[in-house]
Amino acid sequence: MLMLNYLNYILIALIGLAICEAQEKLKEVAVQSLDCRENTCMNLNFPSALEIAYFSEKVTTNLRGYESLILHSSHLANLPRKVFVNLPQIVEFDVLECELQQIEKECFDGAENLRRLNLGGNKLSVLNSDTFELTTQLEELNLSDNQLEELPVKIFLPLKKLQKINLSNNQLKSISQFTFSQLGSLKSINLDSNDLKELPSELFRDQQKHLSELSARSNQLEGIPSNIFSEIEHLFLSFNVQLKNLHLSSNIYQLEATNCGLESVKLDGRVIGVQLEDNLSLKELKIFQPQVLKQLYLANTNLSRLDFLSKASELVDLDLTGIENLSDLPTISSAKGLERLSFTYDNMTSDHMDMLPQLKDLNYLEISHEKGREIYIKDLDEDFFVDEAELDCGQLADLLEFVELPKDTTILEDRLVGDPRLPLRCGAA
Ligand SMILES: *[C@@H]1O[C@H](CO)[C@@H](O)[C@H](O)[C@H]1NC(C)=O
Ligand SMILES: *[C@@H]1O[C@H](CO)[C@@H](O)[C@H](O)[C@H]1NC(C)=O
Ligand SMILES: *[C@@H]1O[C@H](CO)[C@@H](O)[C@H](O)[C@H]1NC(C)=O
Ligand SMILES: *[C@@H]1O[C@H](CO)[C@@H](O)[C@H](O)[C@H]1NC(C)=O
Ligand SMILES: *[C@@H]1O[C@H](CO)[C@@H](O)[C@H](O)[C@H]1NC(C)=O
Ligand SMILES: CC(=O)N[C@H]1CO[C@H](CO)[C@@H](O)[C@@H]1O
């Protein structure tokens, strides 16, 4: 009995030692020479996680004149030491395709001018809490395409000047409400292609004033707290198939939530552009301030009434294609400046067609029906249909601006019978 306890003690002590050793004693290996073309250096080969390369004064001589340094196509298990001690002028540091696994904070000794750090496309899975303690001047951080599953709560805290962060294509399952705390300059956050189920309602508490872009496409989001921001320019939430209800009270310049499982969307604030197409279960849409709405894309949804559109006087662009259960084309005659309109025509949606000629600015009209699709483009002489104008594909692209031509579409100019010109084919790849 006594013996057994004794053995256990020894065993525990040994495990403790082994861990300390792995963390503290990385073997420093000098980089003998650098294979660089201008400021891009390749073929650094330090694949062992127990070794750490370091840059000497001599080896960096030819890099003194550059403000950016790119390490490329290398194998660096650890980020090299003394890069910035020798090259303190560096503003941008890119470590691309280097199979990077670990970063110790000392690597950033001397990084006083470092403003952009790109570690995208490596093998980072764990970062220490203090990783960025010495990169206090950073404005842009790219950690995209790594294997991060979680982030230490305070990891970004020293980055008071950070404006853009890219965490896309990782395996983040959750994010703490404090992750972006005190980052008062942060404007753009990319969380695309992770495994996030929720965003804490306090997540952007310190970015309320000027968050301009949040992208969280292709996650597992089940909801978004309605008051998560008061104002945002671009909000991208597409491909969150678990997202059934979306109720936001913020002012939003552009909302994109296509290909989700949306059933109900309620937008209380001022919203200018709304893209909700390809949500086959979407049957409720409430926009409480339709008078400021400019762009609305609702193709392939299950909506049946869009009464609020009668007040959408600023509307420029409206896509109602493939809304099978829409009882009629909604009244949009107050939208005097409507430029683009797409809808599906069947026997039900005919009553309100009369209003079309009143829409004097309409220059793109797309009507889908059982047999195919017709596109009418106003010519430069302001006739409603394309007349004899010699349109070419370049001009078309200018006119259509945001509309991508379906690949199977042939554009027919409205011409006299017997006109020998062939139909125009644009957009086909
Ligand atoms: C961030 O890294 C990814 C992956 O390497 C890359 O595709 C992307 O262009 C980078 N973004 C910026 C702004 O450098
Ligand atoms: C973030 O990285 C992804 C790909 O890895 C890239 O497509 C995207 O443009 C980047 N976004 C920003 C804002 O850098
Ligand atoms: C569309 O709505 C109708 C009822 O309004 C419902 O019966 C149908 O299942 C819905 N379709 C989808 C794909 O959710
Ligand atoms: C339209 O409504 C009917 C019955 O209300 C439903 O069966 C059908 O699935 C709906 N169409 C779509 C595209 O959901
Ligand atoms: C439209 O009307 C035609 C004849 O008036 C009819 O044959 C056709 O089935 C109707 N289509 C629909 C979708 O109701
Ligand atoms: C959950 C759900 O109904 N999602 C649908 C949203 O719309 C897209 C495209 O129309 C469908 O593919 C999804 O299944």
Side-chain angles (χ1 to χ4, degrees):
M1 193 66 191
L2 201 81
M3 183 73 174
L4 217 135
N5 271 338
Y6 191 58
L7 273 178
N8 275 350
Y9 266 99
I10 293 175
L11 207 64
I12 289 164
L14 276 177
I15 291 170
L17 263 181
I19 290 173
C20 288
E21 201 147 44
Q23 278 181 352
E24 280 170 20
K25 296 233 168 114
L26 287 175
K27 190 174 158 225
E28 238 186 33
V29 184
V31 174
Q32 293 301 327
S33 67
L34 280 173
D35 171 9
C36 306
R37 193 162 292 173
E38 310 241 307
N39 60 338
T40 303
C41 306
M42 301 196 284
N43 303 320
L44 285 153
N45 199 25
F46 297 87
S48 163
L50 301 173
E51 277 182 9
I52 185 160
Y54 77 90
F55 282 29
S56 64
E57 211 181 314
K58 184 162 147 268
V59 92
T60 51
T61 320
N62 293 336
L63 294 169
R64 300 266 148 80
Y66 295 104
E67 290 206 335
S68 76
L69 173 64
I70 301 163
L71 305 185
H72 197 276
S73 305
S74 293
H75 201 157
L76 290 165
N78 284 286
L79 195 67
R81 283 180 184 162
K82 303 212 173 113
V83 174
F84 298 98
V85 172
N86 288 298
L87 302 168
Q89 83 284 358
I90 298 236
V91 172
E92 174 165 345
F93 186 38
D94 294 17
V95 182
L96 310 171
E97 293 174 52
C98 290
E99 305 191 36
L100 189 63
Q101 292 169 33
Q102 306 185 106
I103 302 173
E104 48 162 46
K105 67 168 183 185
E106 290 80 9
C107 297
F108 296 114
D109 263 339
E112 276 115 41
N113 291 303
L114 185 65
R115 290 203 285 275
R116 293 187 294 277
L117 177 61
N118 185 354
L119 302 171
N122 282 289
K123 291 192 171 160
L124 296 168
S125 58
V126 178
L127 291 173
N128 292 331
S129 197
D130 61 7
T131 304
F132 299 115
E133 215 170 82
L134 301 174
T135 59
T136 53
Q137 303 304 305
L138 265 198
E139 291 169 7
E140 294 178 23
L141 175 60
N142 190 352
L143 289 166
S144 151
D145 294 279
N146 277 286
Q147 294 156 12
L148 299 168
E149 285 181 26
E150 56 186 337
L151 294 166
V153 173
K154 294 186 173 165
I155 186 168
F156 302 130
L157 196 60
L159 307 181
K160 298 289 191 294
K161 296 187 176 169
L162 196 66
Q163 294 174 18
K164 284 174 97 173
I165 188 162
N166 195 339
L167 290 161
S168 67
N169 288 296
N170 278 284
Q171 289 143 32
L172 297 173
K173 291 189 173 56
S174 66
I175 193 158
S176 150
Q177 68 172 96
F178 301 111
T179 305
F180 304 125
S181 279
Q182 299 181 36
L183 306 186
S185 306
L186 194 55
K187 288 196 291 225
S188 163
I189 301 171
N190 190 330
L191 297 169
D192 289 352
S193 302
N194 278 285
D195 298 321
L196 297 171
K197 282 204 165 62
E198 56 174 11
L199 301 177
S201 60
E202 300 280 281
L203 186 60
F204 305 118
R205 206 186 52 182
D206 296 338
Q207 287 82 35
Q208 286 294 328
K209 286 275 150 52
H210 46 246
L211 193 60
S212 72
E213 178 169 325
L214 171 67
S215 193
R217 298 181 180 106
S218 303
N219 276 278
Q220 311 293 330
L221 292 173
E222 287 165 4
I224 309 280
S226 67
N227 55 355
I228 190 164
F229 14 64
S230 58
E231 195 145 326
I232 187 163
E233 278 169 47
H234 304 280
L235 177 59
F236 303 124
L237 298 171
S238 298
F239 296 96
N240 277 286
V241 294
Q242 323 281 5
L243 193 60
K244 291 200 162 54
N245 298 301
L246 186 61
H247 180 190
L248 294 169
S249 51
S250 356
N251 294 333
I252 305 173
Y253 184 74
Q254 185 195 6
L255 168 67
E256 184 209 276
T258 71
N259 291 280
C260 294
L262 285 169
E263 291 171 7
S264 159
V265 174
K266 293 177 190 163
L267 304 170
D268 303 348
R270 294 162 59 88
V271 291
I272 311 294
V274 178
Q275 293 171 243
L276 296 171
E277 66 267 28
D278 297 321
N279 282 292
L280 279 180
S281 304
L282 181 63
K283 51 176 198 278
E284 182 184 38
L285 173 61
K286 291 193 169 147
I287 294 185
F288 288 93
Q289 301 190 45
Q291 61 280 5
V292 295
L293 190 65
K294 288 196 166 147
Q295 183 194 51
L296 183 61
Y297 288 178
L298 299 174
N300 306 320
T301 52
N302 196 10
L303 293 160
S304 52
R305 303 190 68 89
L306 293 168
D307 296 339
F308 66 85
L309 280 178
S310 64
K311 298 202 190 93
S313 53
E314 295 292 308
L315 207 59
V316 174
D317 195 353
L318 179 62
D319 185 354
L320 304 173
T321 309
I323 311 186
E324 207 177 287
N325 284 337
L326 199 59
S327 47
D328 196 353
L329 198 58
T331 316
I332 40 173
S333 36
S334 77
K336 297 279 183 241
L338 195 73
E339 290 176 18
R340 280 182 289 266
L341 174 62
S342 311
F343 63 90
T344 298
Y345 171 84
D346 59 34
N347 298 0
M348 278 142 60
T349 56
S350 51
D351 287 359
H352 288 164
M353 291 278 272
D354 302 353
M355 73 189 158
L356 293 182
Q358 293 161 34
L359 299 169
K360 298 291 182 210
D361 288 338
L362 199 63
N363 56 32
Y364 178 89
L365 174 64
E366 180 180 326
I367 304 178
S368 304
H369 45 71
E370 271 172 46
K371 293 193 199 71
R373 191 193 312 246
E374 292 157 18
I375 297 178
Y376 300 94
I377 295 156
K378 193 190 234 180
D379 76 4
L380 304 173
D381 299 328
E382 305 202 342
D383 292 329
F384 189 68
F385 298 109
V386 175
D387 203 357
E388 290 186 51
E390 291 282 347
L391 271 178
D392 61 33
C393 292
Q395 282 173 304
L396 265 180
D398 282 350
L399 269 172
L400 306 188
E401 215 174 337
F402 300 112
V403 184
E404 208 175 302
L405 281 179
K407 287 194 176 46
D408 57 350
T409 307
T410 301
I411 312 246
L412 290 162
E413 286 189 55
D414 184 39
R415 12 177 130 97
L416 298 172
V417 180
D419 188 322
R421 288 174 299 171
L422 291 171
L424 195 59
R425 282 184 178 276
C426 302

